[in-house]
Amino acid sequence: MSDKVKNYGVNGENLDYCRYPGTAYKYTNGTDAITNFVKQVYNTVKGINSNATVSVDTMPEGSVNAYYYGQNYTQLAQYTDYLVVMAYKGNYNENTSWIGKVTSYIVNQANGTPVVVGLQTYESDSNVTPLSASELQEDINESLNNGAS
């Protein structure tokens, strides 16, 4: 990773799948492990290029996110330039208002660190029918109206 930032002009590092697969509770200090990894990446990237951004993709599980995935929104926000919440409503069998609830919760936990909402542009992983432009716009508006950057 430091090689990419040093030698290839990378302006940011997004950490996708920086989590346990729903089993963080099985490990002592599982949340600390995730937070410390993100902190190390952040410090490494910023030490090479202070203008480069660091972000992490987070699950949208709310108050139990750290328990299952080891992702504590408040802790991660300290070591990121923004959080990316994967608010994939179709995979959770939810609706547009759920996106707003998830966004609002994480924004409140992030203590001023921007929150970007990743939206699903299709029905679900089991039904890849594209969402209509109007439904996708509603999802965008819902996230923005609830504090997303």
CSV table of all heavy atoms in Angstrom, one decimal, residues 1-3 5-6 13 15 34-55 75-81:
chain,number,residue,atom,x,y,z
A,1,MET,N,0.8,-1.2,0.0
A,1,MET,CA,0.0,0.0,0.0
A,1,MET,C,0.9,1.2,0.0
A,1,MET,O,0.6,2.2,-0.8
A,1,MET,CB,-0.9,0.0,1.2
A,1,MET,CG,-1.9,1.1,1.3
A,1,MET,SD,-1.7,2.2,2.7
A,1,MET,CE,-0.8,1.4,3.8
A,2,SER,N,1.9,1.3,0.8
A,2,SER,CA,2.7,2.5,0.8
A,2,SER,C,3.4,2.7,-0.5
A,2,SER,O,3.7,3.8,-1.0
A,2,SER,CB,3.8,2.4,2.0
A,2,SER,OG,4.6,1.3,1.9
A,3,ASP,N,3.8,1.5,-1.2
A,3,ASP,CA,4.4,1.6,-2.5
A,3,ASP,C,3.4,2.3,-3.5
A,3,ASP,O,3.9,3.1,-4.3
A,3,ASP,CB,4.7,0.2,-3.0
A,3,ASP,CG,5.3,0.1,-4.3
A,3,ASP,OD1,6.4,0.8,-4.5
A,3,ASP,OD2,4.8,-0.5,-5.3
A,5,VAL,N,1.1,4.6,-2.8
A,5,VAL,CA,1.1,6.0,-2.5
A,5,VAL,C,2.4,6.7,-2.9
A,5,VAL,O,2.4,7.8,-3.5
A,5,VAL,CB,0.8,6.2,-1.0
A,5,VAL,CG1,0.7,7.7,-0.7
A,5,VAL,CG2,-0.6,5.6,-0.7
A,6,LYS,N,3.5,6.0,-2.7
A,6,LYS,CA,4.8,6.6,-3.0
A,6,LYS,C,5.1,6.7,-4.4
A,6,LYS,O,5.6,7.7,-5.0
A,6,LYS,CB,5.9,5.8,-2.3
A,6,LYS,CG,6.1,6.0,-0.8
A,6,LYS,CD,7.3,5.1,-0.3
A,6,LYS,CE,7.3,5.2,1.2
A,6,LYS,NZ,8.4,4.2,1.7
A,13,GLU,N,-6.8,6.1,-0.5
A,13,GLU,CA,-6.9,4.6,-0.2
A,13,GLU,C,-8.3,4.3,0.4
A,13,GLU,O,-8.6,4.9,1.4
A,13,GLU,CB,-5.8,4.2,0.7
A,13,GLU,CG,-5.6,2.8,0.9
A,13,GLU,CD,-4.9,2.1,-0.3
A,13,GLU,OE1,-4.0,2.7,-1.0
A,13,GLU,OE2,-5.4,1.0,-0.6
A,15,LEU,N,-10.6,1.4,1.9
A,15,LEU,CA,-10.5,0.1,2.5
A,15,LEU,C,-11.8,-0.6,2.5
A,15,LEU,O,-12.7,-0.3,3.2
A,15,LEU,CB,-10.0,0.2,4.0
A,15,LEU,CG,-8.6,0.9,4.2
A,15,LEU,CD1,-8.3,1.1,5.6
A,15,LEU,CD2,-7.5,0.1,3.5
A,34,ILE,N,-9.5,-4.1,14.1
A,34,ILE,CA,-10.0,-3.3,12.9
A,34,ILE,C,-9.6,-1.9,13.0
A,34,ILE,O,-9.0,-1.3,12.1
A,34,ILE,CB,-11.5,-3.5,12.7
A,34,ILE,CG1,-11.9,-5.0,12.4
A,34,ILE,CG2,-12.0,-2.6,11.5
A,34,ILE,CD1,-11.3,-5.6,11.2
A,35,THR,N,-9.9,-1.3,14.1
A,35,THR,CA,-9.5,0.1,14.3
A,35,THR,C,-8.0,0.4,14.2
A,35,THR,O,-7.6,1.3,13.5
A,35,THR,CB,-10.0,0.6,15.7
A,35,THR,OG1,-11.4,0.5,15.8
A,35,THR,CG2,-9.7,2.1,15.9
A,36,ASN,N,-7.2,-0.5,14.8
A,36,ASN,CA,-5.8,-0.3,14.7
A,36,ASN,C,-5.2,-0.5,13.3
A,36,ASN,O,-4.3,0.2,12.9
A,36,ASN,CB,-5.1,-1.2,15.7
A,36,ASN,CG,-5.3,-0.8,17.2
A,36,ASN,OD1,-5.4,0.4,17.4
A,36,ASN,ND2,-5.3,-1.7,18.1
A,37,PHE,N,-5.8,-1.4,12.6
A,37,PHE,CA,-5.4,-1.6,11.2
A,37,PHE,C,-5.7,-0.3,10.4
A,37,PHE,O,-4.8,0.2,9.7
A,37,PHE,CB,-6.1,-2.8,10.5
A,37,PHE,CG,-5.8,-2.9,9.1
A,37,PHE,CD1,-4.5,-3.4,8.6
A,37,PHE,CD2,-6.7,-2.5,8.1
A,37,PHE,CE1,-4.2,-3.5,7.3
A,37,PHE,CE2,-6.4,-2.6,6.8
A,37,PHE,CZ,-5.2,-3.1,6.4
A,38,VAL,N,-6.9,0.2,10.5
A,38,VAL,CA,-7.2,1.5,9.8
A,38,VAL,C,-6.3,2.6,10.3
A,38,VAL,O,-5.9,3.4,9.4
A,38,VAL,CB,-8.7,1.8,10.0
A,38,VAL,CG1,-9.1,3.2,9.5
A,38,VAL,CG2,-9.6,0.7,9.4
A,39,LYS,N,-6.0,2.7,11.6
A,39,LYS,CA,-5.1,3.7,12.1
A,39,LYS,C,-3.7,3.6,11.4
A,39,LYS,O,-3.2,4.6,11.0
A,39,LYS,CB,-5.0,3.6,13.6
A,39,LYS,CG,-4.1,4.6,14.2
A,39,LYS,CD,-4.0,4.4,15.7
A,39,LYS,CE,-3.1,5.4,16.4
A,39,LYS,NZ,-3.0,5.2,17.8
A,40,GLN,N,-3.2,2.4,11.3
A,40,GLN,CA,-1.9,2.2,10.7
A,40,GLN,C,-1.9,2.6,9.2
A,40,GLN,O,-1.0,3.2,8.7
A,40,GLN,CB,-1.5,0.7,10.8
A,40,GLN,CG,-1.1,0.3,12.2
A,40,GLN,CD,-0.8,-1.2,12.3
A,40,GLN,OE1,-0.9,-1.9,11.3
A,40,GLN,NE2,-0.5,-1.6,13.5
A,41,VAL,N,-3.0,2.2,8.5
A,41,VAL,CA,-3.1,2.6,7.1
A,41,VAL,C,-3.2,4.2,7.0
A,41,VAL,O,-2.4,4.8,6.2
A,41,VAL,CB,-4.3,2.0,6.4
A,41,VAL,CG1,-4.6,2.6,5.1
A,41,VAL,CG2,-4.2,0.5,6.3
A,42,TYR,N,-4.0,4.8,7.9
A,42,TYR,CA,-4.1,6.2,7.9
A,42,TYR,C,-2.8,6.9,8.1
A,42,TYR,O,-2.4,7.8,7.3
A,42,TYR,CB,-5.1,6.6,8.9
A,42,TYR,CG,-5.4,8.1,9.0
A,42,TYR,CD1,-6.3,8.7,8.1
A,42,TYR,CD2,-4.8,8.9,9.9
A,42,TYR,CE1,-6.6,10.1,8.2
A,42,TYR,CE2,-5.0,10.3,10.0
A,42,TYR,CZ,-6.0,10.8,9.2
A,42,TYR,OH,-6.2,12.2,9.2
A,43,ASN,N,-2.1,6.5,9.1
A,43,ASN,CA,-0.8,7.1,9.5
A,43,ASN,C,0.2,6.9,8.4
A,43,ASN,O,1.0,7.8,8.1
A,43,ASN,CB,-0.3,6.6,10.8
A,43,ASN,CG,-1.1,7.1,12.0
A,43,ASN,OD1,-1.7,8.1,11.9
A,43,ASN,ND2,-1.1,6.4,13.1
A,44,THR,N,0.2,5.7,7.7
A,44,THR,CA,1.2,5.4,6.7
A,44,THR,C,0.9,6.3,5.5
A,44,THR,O,1.8,7.0,4.9
A,44,THR,CB,1.1,3.9,6.2
A,44,THR,OG1,1.5,3.1,7.4
A,44,THR,CG2,2.0,3.6,5.1
A,45,VAL,N,-0.4,6.4,5.0
A,45,VAL,CA,-0.8,7.2,3.9
A,45,VAL,C,-0.5,8.6,4.1
A,45,VAL,O,0.1,9.3,3.3
A,45,VAL,CB,-2.3,6.9,3.5
A,45,VAL,CG1,-2.7,7.9,2.5
A,45,VAL,CG2,-2.4,5.5,3.0
A,46,LYS,N,-0.9,9.1,5.3
A,46,LYS,CA,-0.8,10.6,5.6
A,46,LYS,C,0.7,10.9,5.7
A,46,LYS,O,1.1,12.0,5.4
A,46,LYS,CB,-1.5,10.9,6.8
A,46,LYS,CG,-3.1,10.8,6.7
A,46,LYS,CD,-3.6,11.8,5.6
A,46,LYS,CE,-5.1,11.8,5.6
A,46,LYS,NZ,-5.7,12.8,4.7
A,47,GLY,N,1.5,10.0,6.2
A,47,GLY,CA,3.0,10.2,6.3
A,47,GLY,C,3.7,10.3,5.0
A,47,GLY,O,4.7,11.0,4.9
A,48,ILE,N,3.1,9.7,4.0
A,48,ILE,CA,3.7,9.8,2.6
A,48,ILE,C,3.1,11.0,1.9
A,48,ILE,O,3.8,11.8,1.2
A,48,ILE,CB,3.4,8.5,1.9
A,48,ILE,CG1,4.1,7.4,2.5
A,48,ILE,CG2,3.8,8.7,0.4
A,48,ILE,CD1,3.6,6.0,2.1
A,49,ASN,N,1.8,11.2,2.0
A,49,ASN,CA,1.1,12.3,1.3
A,49,ASN,C,-0.1,12.8,2.2
A,49,ASN,O,-1.1,12.1,2.2
A,49,ASN,CB,0.5,11.8,-0.1
A,49,ASN,CG,-0.2,12.9,-0.8
A,49,ASN,OD1,-0.4,14.0,-0.3
A,49,ASN,ND2,-0.6,12.5,-2.0
A,50,SER,N,0.2,13.9,2.8
A,50,SER,CA,-0.8,14.4,3.8
A,50,SER,C,-2.1,14.8,3.1
A,50,SER,O,-3.2,14.9,3.8
A,50,SER,CB,-0.3,15.6,4.6
A,50,SER,OG,0.1,16.6,3.7
A,51,ASN,N,-2.1,15.0,1.8
A,51,ASN,CA,-3.3,15.3,1.1
A,51,ASN,C,-4.1,14.1,0.6
A,51,ASN,O,-5.2,14.3,0.1
A,51,ASN,CB,-3.0,16.2,-0.1
A,51,ASN,CG,-2.4,17.6,0.3
A,51,ASN,OD1,-3.0,18.2,1.3
A,51,ASN,ND2,-1.4,18.1,-0.3
A,52,ALA,N,-3.5,13.0,0.6
A,52,ALA,CA,-4.2,11.8,0.2
A,52,ALA,C,-5.4,11.5,1.2
A,52,ALA,O,-5.3,11.8,2.4
A,52,ALA,CB,-3.3,10.6,0.1
A,53,THR,N,-6.4,10.9,0.7
A,53,THR,CA,-7.6,10.6,1.6
A,53,THR,C,-7.6,9.1,1.9
A,53,THR,O,-7.1,8.2,1.2
A,53,THR,CB,-8.9,10.9,0.9
A,53,THR,OG1,-9.0,10.1,-0.3
A,53,THR,CG2,-9.0,12.4,0.6
A,54,VAL,N,-8.1,8.8,3.1
A,54,VAL,CA,-8.3,7.4,3.5
A,54,VAL,C,-9.8,7.3,3.9
A,54,VAL,O,-10.3,8.1,4.6
A,54,VAL,CB,-7.4,7.1,4.8
A,54,VAL,CG1,-7.7,5.7,5.3
A,54,VAL,CG2,-6.0,7.3,4.4
A,55,SER,N,-10.4,6.2,3.4
A,55,SER,CA,-11.8,5.9,3.7
A,55,SER,C,-11.9,4.4,4.0
A,55,SER,O,-11.1,3.6,3.6
A,55,SER,CB,-12.7,6.4,2.6
A,55,SER,OG,-12.4,5.7,1.4
A,75,GLN,N,-14.8,5.2,16.3
A,75,GLN,CA,-13.4,4.9,16.3
A,75,GLN,C,-12.8,5.0,14.9
A,75,GLN,O,-11.8,5.7,14.7
A,75,GLN,CB,-13.1,3.5,16.9
A,75,GLN,CG,-13.4,3.4,18.4
A,75,GLN,CD,-13.2,2.0,18.9
A,75,GLN,OE1,-12.7,1.1,18.2
A,75,GLN,NE2,-13.6,1.8,20.2
A,76,LEU,N,-13.5,4.5,13.9
A,76,LEU,CA,-13.0,4.5,12.6
A,76,LEU,C,-13.0,6.0,12.0
A,76,LEU,O,-12.1,6.3,11.3
A,76,LEU,CB,-13.8,3.6,11.7
A,76,LEU,CG,-13.7,2.1,11.9
A,76,LEU,CD1,-14.7,1.4,11.0
A,76,LEU,CD2,-12.3,1.6,11.8
A,77,ALA,N,-13.9,6.8,12.4
A,77,ALA,CA,-14.0,8.1,12.0
A,77,ALA,C,-12.7,8.9,12.3
A,77,ALA,O,-12.4,9.9,11.6
A,77,ALA,CB,-15.2,8.8,12.5
A,78,GLN,N,-12.1,8.6,13.4
A,78,GLN,CA,-10.9,9.3,13.9
A,78,GLN,C,-9.7,9.1,12.9
A,78,GLN,O,-8.8,9.9,12.8
A,78,GLN,CB,-10.4,8.7,15.2
A,78,GLN,CG,-11.4,9.0,16.3
A,78,GLN,CD,-10.9,8.3,17.6
A,78,GLN,OE1,-9.9,8.8,18.2
A,78,GLN,NE2,-11.5,7.2,18.0
A,79,TYR,N,-9.8,8.0,12.1
A,79,TYR,CA,-8.6,7.6,11.2
A,79,TYR,C,-9.0,7.6,9.8
A,79,TYR,O,-8.4,6.9,9.0
A,79,TYR,CB,-8.1,6.3,11.7
A,79,TYR,CG,-7.7,6.3,13.2
A,79,TYR,CD1,-8.4,5.6,14.1
A,79,TYR,CD2,-6.7,7.2,13.6
A,79,TYR,CE1,-8.1,5.6,15.4
A,79,TYR,CE2,-6.4,7.2,15.0
A,79,TYR,CZ,-7.1,6.5,15.9
A,79,TYR,OH,-6.8,6.5,17.2
A,80,THR,N,-10.1,8.3,9.4
A,80,THR,CA,-10.5,8.3,8.0
A,80,THR,C,-10.9,9.8,7.7
A,80,THR,O,-11.2,10.6,8.5
A,80,THR,CB,-11.7,7.4,7.8
A,80,THR,OG1,-12.8,7.8,8.6
A,80,THR,CG2,-11.4,6.0,8.0
A,81,ASP,N,-10.8,10.1,6.4
A,81,ASP,CA,-11.3,11.4,5.9
A,81,ASP,C,-12.8,11.3,5.7
A,81,ASP,O,-13.4,12.4,5.6
A,81,ASP,CB,-10.5,11.7,4.6
A,81,ASP,CG,-9.0,12.0,4.9
A,81,ASP,OD1,-8.7,12.9,5.6
A,81,ASP,OD2,-8.2,11.1,4.5
